[in-house]
Amino acid sequence: MTTKSEDVASIRNAPANAARSVATRERILDAAERLFAEHGVFAVSNRQVSEAAGQGNNAAVGYHFGTKTDLVRAIVAKHATQIERNRMALLAEIKGSADARDWITCLVRASTDYYRDLGTPTWYARFSAQVLTDPTLRSVVYNEALTSPSLQETLVSLAACLPDMPADVRHARAEMARQVMVHMCAERERMLADGEGFEVSGWNDFSTDLVDALVGLWCAPVTR
């Protein structure tokens, strides 16, 4: 049973304890994102994440996040808010457009502008590529993405620009485009982080090149 003075001390310390908890969660998220990006999600243990985050308690990951899937979900949520804001701003500029390129640009730049603004090095593009190789974790990311109203609006509007494309072809090209975006962004992030020569363009030029390629993919003839 605590004394009155202990209760008062606990109340006074509550804001500081809450701040420490938030800071600890952020360190764990940052460490996990980097390690997962570099080594793969299931090649990294919770113990390694805790150590990289400077936590002496090896159970810190479980205490703050629960399972590894919960940790992955928290990393995705950490970045999703700003990417959503980027996409909403891009949508406001192209409302009502009948040009497929505008909607593809929206798909690309919502993420690439975010990577650009984070600075170098970043790990989220490589983290995303690692997560999407696992069927269970892929569903976590897809479920998070599919709840985005702005993404749904972008995809519906892009489909409306290609009215003669059969639905199964459209779905196949959407998957192709997703794979290209995820893995090319991951590769560009790695190249920028490693400083692989002056010939490596930054995110702005890369975004334009990626949009050009995806316009070609989406608008290619349907011959089957």
Side-chain angles (χ1 to χ4, degrees):
M1 185 173 180
T2 60
T3 66
K4 183 176 181 179
S5 61
E6 287 173 332
D7 288 338
V8 171
S10 177
I11 292 171
R12 288 175 176 172
N13 290 332
N17 291 337
R20 280 195 295 271
S21 179
V22 170
T24 298
R25 285 175 58 88
E26 286 301 311
R27 285 195 294 271
I28 291 172
L29 285 175
D30 290 344
E33 183 180 322
R34 176 176 59 81
L35 291 174
F36 292 165
E38 293 175 342
H39 305 292
V41 176
F42 291 104
V44 177
S45 67
N46 285 356
R47 179 191 182 102
Q48 289 171 305
V49 173
S50 294
E51 290 175 349
Q55 301 303 302
N57 182 359
N58 292 328
V61 172
Y63 174 79
H64 286 280
F65 294 99
T67 67
K68 184 168 284 186
T69 299
D70 293 328
L71 179 57
V72 167
R73 187 178 287 109
I75 294 171
V76 172
K78 172 185 173 182
H79 296 279
T81 300
Q82 187 55 53
I83 293 174
E84 177 75 4
R85 289 194 189 112
N86 287 357
R87 194 182 296 114
M88 291 294 291
L90 290 163
L91 282 175
E93 297 176 2
I94 60 171
K95 202 77 172 177
S97 174
D99 186 348
R101 183 184 182 90
D102 286 339
W103 301 104
I104 294 169
T105 298
C106 185
L107 285 172
V108 170
R109 295 199 70 97
S111 294
T112 57
D113 286 358
Y114 178 63
Y115 298 141
R116 178 199 64 201
D117 294 342
L118 283 176
T120 301
T122 57
W123 289 275
Y124 189 58
R126 285 170 286 174
F127 162 83
S128 298
Q130 293 281 9
V131 167
L132 292 180
T133 62
D134 179 84
T136 302
L137 295 179
R138 183 168 62 238
S139 67
V140 171
V141 177
Y142 282 0
N143 289 341
E144 180 77 27
L146 291 175
T147 63
S148 161
S150 67
L151 179 59
Q152 289 300 316
E153 180 179 350
T154 304
L155 293 174
V156 168
S157 299
L158 175 58
C161 296
L162 305 164
D164 298 326
M165 183 176 289
D168 59 336
V169 175
R170 186 167 64 251
H171 292 156
R173 293 193 183 183
E175 183 58 32
M176 293 176 200
R178 185 183 301 114
Q179 293 291 334
V180 170
M181 281 183 58
V182 168
H183 292 288
M184 289 307 301
C185 284
E187 181 63 10
R188 180 50 49 112
E189 182 183 69
R190 182 194 65 78
M191 294 171 72
L192 290 170
D194 293 346
E196 291 191 354
F198 294 107
E199 73 279 2
V200 179
S201 63
W203 285 110
N204 287 334
D205 287 345
F206 171 77
S207 298
T208 301
D209 293 342
L210 185 55
V211 169
D212 288 343
L214 292 180
V215 169
L217 188 159
W218 273 103
C219 298
V222 178
T223 61
R224 68 176 173 86

